[in-house]
Amino acid sequence: MHLVRQLLEKVLLLSGLILVVSVSLPETSRAQQLVPDTRMALIVGNSNYNGEKLPNARNDAESIAATLQTLRFDVTLILDATQEAFLKKAEEFSQATIRRNANVVLVYYAGHGVQLAGKNYLIPVDSRISDIDTLVSDSIHFDELLKLVGRSSAFKMVFLDACQNNPFQDRIKSLEVGLAPPPDVSGFLIGYATQPGKVAYDGAGDNSPYATALLSYMHSSGREVLSVLADVNQNVRKETGGAQVPYVQFSVKPDFYFKPGPESDGDLEAGLWKLSVQQEDPRLIQLYLQRYPEGRFVDEAQTILERALKDTNGVLPTPSVGLASLEEEIWSNALASRNRALLQYYIERFPDGQYLEQAKTLVTQMMPNNPNNLTQSELCRRFATHPNDSTVIYRGVSLNLLAKNSGAAIHSCEQAVKDYPDVPHYKALLARARAAAGDTKIAVDLYQQAAAAGDTRALVSLGLLYELGQGLPKDLLKARELFERAYANGSADGAINLAVSLYNGTGGARDVPRAITLLEYASSEGAARATYNLGVFAKEGIYKTPEDAAAYFELAAQQGYAEGALAAAAIYDEGFHTDKSPQKASELLLSALTVDSGETLAKISSDARSWSRDTILEIQTRLQSAGYYEGTLDGVPGPLFNRGLESWRLYGGSPS
């Protein structure tokens, strides 16, 4: 029991969330992914309203349109639509979906939208709304739009990124916040950028938080649409500190894949690194370092890049003509990461590439609006995002790195707070930057302000300060209350820390069953260490059975936690409540090598003799097949075995 408590305490201090959602599909579903279909999309972006602009609405619509084109959608794009143009294009689109017998129809709207008496209205750019009558007469009735689209027998998706603050509140007092719940329409999947009655954010970068997440995850191969939207939900919640929670309603469970094919593992960093090192391309390696300054392969990347620059007198070589087999991988990584530099690399490397025009369009949409291509709010997120809050765009930085850049981080976050006073998450980021700089008193005050507004990062961080007695009087009861509020706002981090408090009985009564329930929730949200601790509980007989331990450890490994792979490998190596399997043990050990910055490699190398001879033999065989091991297949580790492990970590499962 003492070991389990230690493991939970480790979660409290080091917990990191790596969000990986996957769906196990029956073979029939996988076959259905390959059936050709007619895909049609109507995309509307309204930015230039009378006297007001929504700068990201146009960007969002253009980016969604360009990305859908790469996913074989026939796209109709309308920008700054008047009421007449909106209705005309919607009618033409509806007729075209029937005429062409479309089996997938998608509508995306970015712009102003309001609710009145339980009905939703989308606002054209030429509206002259002064009262309820003009709202009804000068807007697009959402129910009518659904009727137009609903004429088609296709699978229909509608996404509304239209819940910003009501621009007519001073004229029409009866308008409620956000949008009303969608009508119960059969045959539709309807997605809102945030929950009904709540406000969505326009976003501080090129795109809104909702559009950014859609753009990043729609291109994930082999992912059913609800799995994609689950990742969108998690991404938006993390980017907004829990203030914005996307909402989905559907009448029948859909069986639709934006991008058919084998399911991708979602590890963009490992994917970019593998491309870089296997091609021995300094340009790609430099892009990797820019994208992942604290990445898992930084040491190796810097060594390779320094050697390459030395060999070429400091000049990066021009990319050679690209290999067709690499085009899809580079393109997919560029799209998913929303990486402008990688898109430019694609254009240079593949001048005749199949996605060339879409790449050029997307690069144009991401054109820099300042010399650094980043606003102060974007810089704030890049400098100060907590690793546990990492998103596709903002990866999160350690406290040590933040401390080194604290001056710049504070400057950017202070400006972000001024520019977006209604977004509490910037106060939480500024608080973290201040804490890294040693300004504890100021950090506590900022955390308290952000926590009062419900920001999940502030709630968790403030709870830890109370729990540890840092900058505040130690108050375990208050800490538990803050973790409880963070969990209530959907924070997996809050759930983990609350589970620790409940398990240990700190700050109140001990409640092991609820602690387990909280870990189950955090695990379902992709929190790898929560999954790992469920495995520990199973192994110790506290939760489920010892036979279930391996499955939890393997899931933790899939979620990006190397310790999960090691624990599962040990079970299969020893045959603990399962059959011995050197094959599974070796697969898990090799998979763990690329999960961290080399710590697991060092551990496996130093402890190699603690594994069974059969498992070591299986690893030797796999290393030899990949071209990384030239020693004897004898099940005995040594220098050649360790060098083989290093090569596997460096190049992956394929020979260089």
Side-chain angles (χ1 to χ4, degrees):
M1 190 69 70
H2 178 66
L3 172 61
V4 175
R5 186 176 296 110
Q6 284 183 324
L7 289 165
L8 278 171
E9 289 170 351
K10 183 178 181 183
V11 169
L12 171 66
L13 297 174
L14 302 176
S15 70
L17 308 181
I18 299 176
L19 304 178
V20 179
V21 179
S22 60
V23 176
S24 178
L25 299 169
E27 290 303 315
T28 54
S29 292
R30 293 201 179 276
Q32 289 168 3
Q33 296 180 55
L34 303 178
V35 177
D37 51 14
T38 301
R39 302 175 168 204
M40 300 181 68
L42 174 66
I43 312 298
V44 183
N46 285 349
S47 285
N48 294 309
Y49 288 92
N50 295 312
E52 183 187 10
K53 288 189 176 182
L54 292 177
N56 279 351
R58 182 187 184 98
N59 295 341
D60 295 339
E62 289 182 327
S63 297
I64 292 286
T67 299
L68 287 176
Q69 286 176 333
T70 73
L71 296 168
R72 298 188 297 106
F73 278 83
D74 183 349
V75 176
T76 299
L77 173 64
I78 315 173
L79 299 174
D80 293 330
T82 64
Q83 185 184 37
E84 181 181 359
F86 199 142
L87 290 172
K88 180 181 179 182
K89 287 293 185 182
E91 176 66 38
E92 291 174 352
F93 179 77
S94 173
Q95 293 176 2
T97 62
I98 298 171
R99 184 174 64 254
R100 296 181 55 189
N101 195 28
N103 49 9
V104 179
V105 172
L106 184 149
V107 176
Y108 173 87
Y109 173 79
H112 274 309
V114 298
Q115 65 162 306
L116 175 67
K119 298 292 185 179
N120 292 320
Y121 300 87
L122 310 182
I123 311 302
V125 296
D126 63 339
S127 61
R128 294 290 189 273
I129 296 173
S130 58
D131 53 28
I132 290 177
D133 290 338
T134 51
L135 170 64
V136 173
S137 64
D138 289 8
S139 63
I140 304 297
H141 297 210
F142 182 52
D143 289 5
E144 294 302 315
L145 177 63
L146 291 178
K147 286 181 182 178
L148 280 176
V149 178
R151 295 173 182 172
S152 169
S153 61
F155 168 57
K156 297 171 283 289
M157 296 172 282
V158 179
F159 298 101
L160 295 184
D161 200 353
C163 314
Q164 288 84 6
N165 282 323
N166 173 18
F168 313 112
Q169 194 63 55
D170 58 336
R171 286 164 270 174
I172 309 175
K173 301 298 183 182
S174 58
L175 292 181
E176 298 181 51
V177 175
L179 296 179
D184 185 13
V185 181
S186 178
F188 278 85
L189 181 151
I190 300 177
Y192 283 9
T194 193
Q195 294 169 312
K198 300 293 184 180
V199 173
Y201 295 107
D202 189 45
D206 292 322
N207 300 108
S208 73
Y210 187 60
T212 296
L214 281 173
L215 290 164
S216 296
Y217 290 112
M218 280 195 303
H219 222 270
S220 300
S221 65
R223 301 285 300 283
E224 192 267 338
V225 62
L226 290 183
S227 176
V228 169
L229 294 179
D231 276 354
V232 169
N233 181 297
Q234 292 173 341
N235 200 88
V236 172
R237 279 187 289 143
K238 285 179 173 294
E239 186 170 338
T240 63
Q244 182 174 332
V245 181
Y247 173 88
V248 179
Q249 177 175 301
F250 54 94
S251 56
V252 178
K253 186 181 184 300
D255 185 19
F256 170 73
Y257 300 78
F258 283 105
K259 185 176 181 180
E263 184 171 339
S264 58
D265 63 11
D267 192 340
L268 297 178
E269 180 187 350
L272 181 56
W273 168 251
K274 184 178 178 180
L275 287 172
S276 304
V277 73
Q278 288 186 353
Q279 291 302 297
E280 297 180 346
D281 188 335
R283 285 282 303 279
L284 271 179
I285 291 172
Q286 190 175 60
L287 288 175
Y288 169 82
L289 288 170
Q290 292 171 355
R291 173 69 175 146
Y292 303 103
E294 283 192 291
R296 307 195 294 266
F297 306 97
V298 164
D299 290 341
E300 294 94 335
Q302 288 175 337
T303 299
I304 294 172
L305 188 59
E306 288 170 4
R307 185 170 64 241
L309 290 173
K310 182 179 180 181
D311 293 341
T312 58
N313 296 319
V315 178
L316 290 177
T318 301
S320 59
V321 176
L323 298 176
S325 59
L326 296 174
E327 181 183 356
E328 187 69 35
E329 294 182 70
I330 292 173
W331 171 248
S332 297
N333 195 294
L335 275 184
S337 63
R338 306 294 297 153
N339 190 322
R340 183 173 183 269
L342 195 53
L343 284 168
Q344 290 176 315
Y345 176 90
Y346 172 89
I347 292 169
E348 295 175 18
R349 185 91 186 260
F350 302 98
D352 298 317
Q354 60 177 315
Y355 306 114
L356 184 64
E357 294 307 315
Q358 290 95 334
K360 289 179 178 178
T361 299
L362 291 170
V363 164
T364 301
Q365 293 165 6
M366 298 179 193
M367 284 295 287
N369 50 22
N370 63 44
N372 296 318
N373 193 30
L374 292 172
T375 63
Q376 292 300 318
S377 52
E378 287 178 284
L379 286 170
C380 173
R381 289 183 181 277
R382 289 186 184 274
F383 279 129
T385 292
H386 193 288
N388 293 8
D389 299 332
S390 64
T391 65
V392 170
I393 304 301
Y394 305 107
R395 305 305 300 164
V397 297
S398 66
L399 199 62
N400 287 337
L401 182 60
L402 178 54
K404 295 177 183 177
N405 298 315
S406 60
I410 290 170
H411 171 77
S412 297
C413 291
E414 284 180 338
Q415 188 60 51
V417 170
K418 291 179 182 177
D419 292 341
Y420 300 93
D422 297 330
V423 183
H425 197 53
Y426 287 121
K427 287 185 178 178
L429 295 175
L430 178 56
R432 186 165 187 256
R434 285 288 188 181
D439 304 329
T440 306
K441 185 176 180 180
I442 298 175
V444 167
D445 180 58
L446 288 164
Y447 273 136
Q448 288 174 330
Q449 292 179 46
D455 182 83
T456 52
R457 171 47 48 201
L459 288 165
V460 172
S461 296
L462 197 59
L464 287 170
L465 292 177
Y466 273 113
E467 189 170 69
L468 300 172
Q470 293 181 356
L472 288 165
K474 189 170 185 176
D475 189 336
L476 298 178
L477 177 60
K478 182 68 174 177
R480 182 183 283 196
E481 290 174 354
L482 289 163
F483 296 147
E484 188 79 67
R485 286 176 57 196
Y487 164 62
N489 287 354
S491 169
D493 231 8
I496 291 172
N497 286 290
L498 181 57
V500 173
S501 174
L502 290 166
Y503 184 85
N504 291 331
T506 57
R510 191 166 189 257
D511 189 341
V512 175
R514 186 163 184 239
I516 290 174
T517 298
L518 290 164
L519 291 177
E520 288 176 325
Y521 166 76
S523 173
S524 71
E525 288 286 291
R529 287 178 175 82
T531 307
Y532 178 81
N533 281 292
L534 290 174
V536 173
F537 283 172
K539 190 172 186 294
E540 298 295 324
I542 300 171
Y543 170 68
K544 294 195 173 180
T545 68
E547 287 79 8
D548 296 309
Y552 281 104
F553 289 140
E554 287 188 77
L555 178 56
Q558 293 168 17
Q559 292 172 331
Y561 191 39
E563 289 294 330
L566 296 179
I571 286 177
Y572 289 119
D573 184 64
E574 298 170 5
F576 177 80
H577 288 275
T578 188
D579 294 334
K580 286 187 177 182
S581 177
Q583 293 80 13
K584 286 186 177 181
S586 65
E587 289 174 6
L588 287 159
L589 288 172
L590 289 173
S591 71
L593 293 175
T594 59
V595 171
D596 54 32
S597 299
E599 296 83 358
T600 299
L601 170 63
K603 187 170 185 178
I604 294 176
S605 297
S606 62
D607 297 340
R609 294 186 182 276
S610 66
W611 299 93
S612 72
R613 193 183 187 97
D614 289 340
T615 294
I616 296 298
L617 176 60
E618 186 66 28
I619 294 175
Q620 287 175 334
T621 302
R622 291 172 182 269
L623 293 175
Q624 186 184 72
S625 297
Y628 302 144
Y629 180 69
E630 298 178 352
T632 304
L633 298 177
D634 55 8
V636 179
L640 292 177
F641 176 77
N642 291 342
R643 282 202 290 274
L645 295 177
E646 292 173 5
S647 296
W648 186 283
R649 168 178 158 72
L650 188 63
Y651 298 105
S654 302
S656 60

